[in-house]
Amino acid sequence: MPNVSRRQALKLASAGAIGLANRALRSQKPQQNGQSVPVWQIFEATFQGPTGGNPFRDVHLSATFSFGSREVDVEGFYDGEGRYKVRFMPDAPGAWTFTTHCNEHELDGRVGEFSSVAAKPDAHGPVRVARTSHFEHVDGTPYYPFGTTCYAWIHQSEALQSETLETLRSAPFNKIRMCVFPKSYEYNHNEPALYPFERSHDGKSDFAKPNPAFYAHLERRILDLQRLGIEADLILFHPYDRWGYATMSAEDDDAYLRYVLARLSSCRNIWWSMANEFDLMKTKTAADFDRLFQLVTHYDAFNHLRSVHYSKTMYNYGHPWVTHASLQNSNFSSSGEYRRDWNKPIVFDEVGYEGNLNRRWGCMSSAEMIRKFWVGVISGSYVTHGECYLDNPADFREDSTPTLWWSHGGKLHGDTAKRVGFLKQIIEDTAPSNAHRIGWDPTPDPYYLNAVLYDTAGSRAETVLYYFDSHQPIWYQFPLPEGQFTAEYLDPDAGTISPIGGRFSGKPHLTLTGKPYQGVRFRRVS
C-alpha cells in the first residue's frame, strides 16, 4: 500500500464523512420536490450555486415553507462544491410548498413542494417542556430524561464511535451530552480526524469557512442516535480548547451558530446546550451568552430545548430564552426552590462521575451514583450519568489518553447503567401513556422521601413512590391518599420488584427489609 500523507488522509476522511452522511440522510429519507416525507423527518432541497469568494459568508440563502395559511422561515447553508441546501422538519401531514430567498439571483425565488405523510411509529417529535417542570414529546408521549455523558465521542476513531453506538443500543440512556468541538483536557490529548473549520498547512483555522465534511459527520452521528431513540444534548461551546474555538470573535461565534442551526435544527432529537462550564470561558461574558441564546431562539424554527451548563457561577435560568436548568451540583433538597424561582424543569446534568480517577469529580461509587438518580427522581428532577474507569497502569497519569466513557465513549465498565435501567423501567411503567400527568410531584417536607404521580386532572394521586435513602427502618406506617392501593417492595441493588399481598388504605403498617436504599411503590386500584 502506498504511503499516505496526513493531508491526504484528512482529505480521504472528509470525502468519506460526506459520503457516509449522505447515506445516513438517505436512510432517514429526506425528500426532494414532489416526493413524500413522514412527519418529524427531514425534507431537504439542494441547489447548485456560486463558488466564488466565500459562499459561507457571502451568500445568504433562506426559504419560506407554507402549509395552508402557516409560514415557517428557515435558513439554508453552503455544503461545499457549489451545493446549497435548505432543510425542513414538517410537523403536520399534507401538502407543503416552499420559496427560496437569496442575495444571489440564481438561488432566489426557487420554488418546490412535497407531501408530508403520517409519522413513523417510533417518531414522536421533538421534546418539549410539559407541566412547567417536566418533559414530553410534542405528540404528548411522556419523556423522562435518563442521560449519560460522552463529551468527545464523535472525535474518536470510527471503530470507537461504532463501539459507543453499540453500547448505547443496549443501555438505558435516552439522552447524551456531547460536544461539537473537540476537547483538550486531562486524559484528552488526541487530535480529531476532522476539524470544524478549514485549516491551513500550518494548522491555523479559518473560522469564516466551516468544514462541510465535519458537519456531515456530526449530523450522521446525531441521526445514528435518533435511530436508537436518544436525544442529542449538543454542547455548542466549551473552554477546554487548544485550537482557538473557545476564543473566536463574536462575529465568528454568531456565524458558526447560524451554520449549525441551518444544518441541524431539522433533526428532531436535538437539544441545544449553549456551553459546558460557560463561566470558565474567560473571553465571553454572561451577556455574550444572552446574545447567543437569543440568536438560537430566533433562527431555530423548530424551537428545540435550550440551556447552558456552568462550573461555579450559575447562569440566570429565569431568562425567557432558557427552557430548563442544566446544573452542576447535587443539591437535590433545593429542587423545590429552583422550580419556584425559575418555573422550569431541573436537570442535574453533572453530579460527579462513577469511576476511579485521581480527581474527586471522577471517582464516585456506583452505589452513590444510583442513589443520586433515585433522590433526583423523588425530588421531581432529573439526573445525568457519567463514567471514568482507568484499568491500565500505563494510563495512571493525566497526560495519557485512555478510553473513558465520560469523554471518549466505548464500553461501560461500571454497574450504574443496569441500575438506572431498573429505575427507568419503574418510572415508565408507572406512567406508560399520556393518560397520566407527566412527572412526579415531591411531597413537601416528607418524613421519608416520597413523590406522587397524579391523574390528568391533577387532583387524584395514582401512584406514591417512597425511597428510604440511607435509612433502614424495619417497619413504617405509610400515610396514603384517599382510596385503595396495592404495594410493592423495590430493591434498586438487586433490581427486583416484590408484590406485597393485599390492598391498603389510610395508614397501613408494613414490615420492611431493614436495609438502606430501598423503595416502596403504592399504586391505586382501578
Side-chain angles (χ1 to χ4, degrees):
M1 181 177 178
N3 292 329
V4 178
S5 69
R6 175 171 174 77
R7 181 172 176 80
Q8 290 172 316
L10 289 174
K11 289 177 68 177
L12 290 170
S14 297
I18 291 175
L20 287 168
N22 287 337
R23 287 197 292 274
L25 283 167
R26 284 196 298 271
S27 72
Q28 210 218 3
K29 293 184 172 53
Q31 300 295 334
Q32 299 289 344
N33 295 352
Q35 299 187 27
S36 62
V37 57
V39 168
W40 310 127
Q41 300 294 99
I42 298 171
F43 169 82
E44 179 181 283
T46 303
F47 312 96
Q48 290 300 123
T51 59
N54 180 7
F56 294 103
R57 295 284 180 96
D58 299 340
V59 179
H60 306 293
L61 174 66
S62 64
T64 299
F65 283 79
S66 300
F67 180 79
S69 61
R70 285 180 60 201
E71 291 188 344
V72 182
D73 295 321
V74 300
E75 287 207 312
F77 61 93
Y78 183 58
D79 197 37
E81 299 180 347
R83 291 187 305 271
Y84 292 82
K85 296 186 177 185
V86 290
R87 289 178 179 164
F88 186 74
M89 178 177 62
D91 60 2
W96 291 82
T97 61
F98 68 89
T99 303
T100 65
H101 317 285
C102 190
N103 61 333
E104 291 287 344
H105 176 74
E106 61 192 289
L107 294 173
D108 187 47
R110 304 288 290 270
V111 297
E113 61 182 16
F114 70 94
S115 177
S116 181
V117 297
K120 294 182 177 181
D122 61 347
H124 302 291
V127 175
R128 298 284 187 258
V129 171
R131 200 167 60 83
T132 305
S133 54
H134 299 288
F135 300 98
E136 67 181 3
H137 292 276
V138 295
D139 71 350
T141 302
Y143 175 80
Y144 303 99
F146 285 87
T148 189
T149 307
C150 287
Y151 288 121
W153 77 278
I154 68 162
H155 300 285
Q156 311 310 311
S157 69
E158 283 287 329
L160 188 55
Q161 292 175 57
S162 295
E163 185 176 59
T164 301
L165 291 168
E166 194 58 34
T167 298
L168 289 169
R169 185 182 306 278
S170 58
F173 305 116
N174 58 11
K175 179 174 87 81
I176 186 169
R177 299 186 68 233
M178 55 184 281
C179 299
V180 175
F181 294 140
K183 185 173 184 177
S184 180
Y185 192 61
E186 299 156 10
Y187 303 106
N188 287 263
H189 307 286
N190 56 311
E191 286 292 318
L194 294 168
Y195 295 91
F197 300 95
E198 292 185 12
R199 286 161 60 92
S200 62
H201 292 289
D202 60 0
K204 184 178 180 180
S205 294
D206 184 347
F207 299 130
K209 294 182 178 180
N211 175 9
F214 169 83
Y215 292 97
H217 173 74
L218 171 61
E219 63 203 23
R220 175 167 66 97
R221 289 314 188 197
I222 289 169
L223 295 180
D224 286 336
L225 294 170
Q226 186 182 110
R227 281 186 283 274
L228 296 176
I230 298 173
E231 301 289 306
D233 194 354
L234 193 63
I235 298 167
L236 297 166
F237 295 94
H238 67 75
Y240 307 113
D241 172 56
R242 63 175 181 270
W243 301 276
Y245 310 134
T247 55
M248 294 190 300
S249 69
E251 179 185 10
D252 290 336
D253 285 345
D254 292 1
Y256 150 71
L257 272 188
R258 289 178 66 173
Y259 190 77
V260 169
L261 291 163
R263 290 197 73 123
L264 300 180
S265 290
S266 54
C267 297
R268 66 174 182 268
N269 62 320
I270 283 281
W271 299 22
W272 305 119
S273 176
M274 299 309 302
N276 201 67
E277 300 190 327
F278 86 97
D279 50 322
L280 299 186
M281 301 188 72
K282 301 307 180 185
T283 64
K284 292 178 175 58
T285 65
D288 289 320
F289 280 98
D290 293 348
R291 184 191 82 253
L292 296 171
F293 261 112
Q294 292 175 69
L295 187 150
V296 171
T297 302
H298 180 75
Y299 287 106
D300 176 9
F302 308 104
N303 196 30
H304 294 286
L305 295 173
R306 302 174 299 273
S307 193
V308 65
H309 171 275
Y310 66 93
S311 175
K312 301 294 183 184
T313 304
M314 278 190 185
Y315 187 74
N316 181 359
Y317 294 110
H319 283 316
W321 47 79
V322 179
T323 58
H324 63 285
S326 173
L327 305 185
Q328 181 175 187
N329 67 51
S330 301
N331 298 332
F332 303 113
S333 61
S334 298
S335 292
E337 179 183 349
Y338 293 151
R339 281 192 296 274
R340 286 191 297 272
D341 287 347
W342 302 322
N343 288 310
K344 291 170 185 176
I346 308 301
V347 184
F348 290 90
D349 268 325
E350 188 173 343
V351 297
Y353 304 110
E354 176 189 2
N356 61 1
L357 294 191
N358 55 308
R359 295 288 188 168
R360 286 191 302 176
W361 50 260
C363 58
M364 186 188 302
S365 69
S366 172
E368 178 62 11
M369 175 64 83
I370 196 60
R371 172 193 167 271
K372 291 185 176 185
F373 266 87
W374 275 82
V375 175
V377 166
I378 291 291
S379 73
S381 305
Y382 302 94
V383 180
T384 300
H385 160 272
E387 181 189 284
C388 311
Y389 276 107
L390 291 171
D391 57 8
N392 184 350
D395 293 327
F396 293 177
R397 44 190 291 175
E398 291 180 354
D399 62 355
S400 65
T401 303
T403 299
L404 301 174
W405 177 263
W406 142 83
S407 193
H408 314 106
K411 294 180 179 179
L412 288 164
H413 299 280
D415 296 326
T416 298
K418 65 180 180 181
R419 295 173 180 176
V420 168
F422 176 68
L423 174 59
K424 183 168 177 268
Q425 174 195 340
I426 289 171
I427 300 306
E428 292 182 344
D429 287 353
T430 300
S433 72
N434 57 7
H436 295 77
R437 285 177 58 178
I438 304 299
W440 296 87
D441 289 319
T443 300
D445 302 318
Y447 192 78
Y448 289 119
L449 294 174
N450 70 88
V452 179
L453 188 74
Y454 289 94
D455 65 1
T456 307
S459 58
R460 189 176 76 168
E462 295 291 325
T463 305
V464 182
L465 181 65
Y466 272 82
Y467 180 64
F468 290 99
D469 200 3
S470 59
H471 305 289
Q472 49 185 18
I474 195 63
W475 72 272
Y476 184 57
Q477 196 167 6
F478 292 85
L480 294 179
E482 183 180 354
Q484 287 196 326
F485 293 80
T486 60
E488 300 158 305
Y489 292 124
L490 308 175
D491 187 333
D493 188 51
T496 57
I497 301 173
S498 302
I500 303 170
R503 296 185 177 188
F504 304 92
S505 61
K507 295 184 69 176
H509 177 296
L510 295 185
T511 300
L512 305 173
T513 63
K515 298 193 301 182
Y517 310 112
Q518 303 294 291
V520 175
R521 177 170 61 178
F522 294 93
R523 306 174 82 170
R524 180 176 293 278
V525 176
S526 298

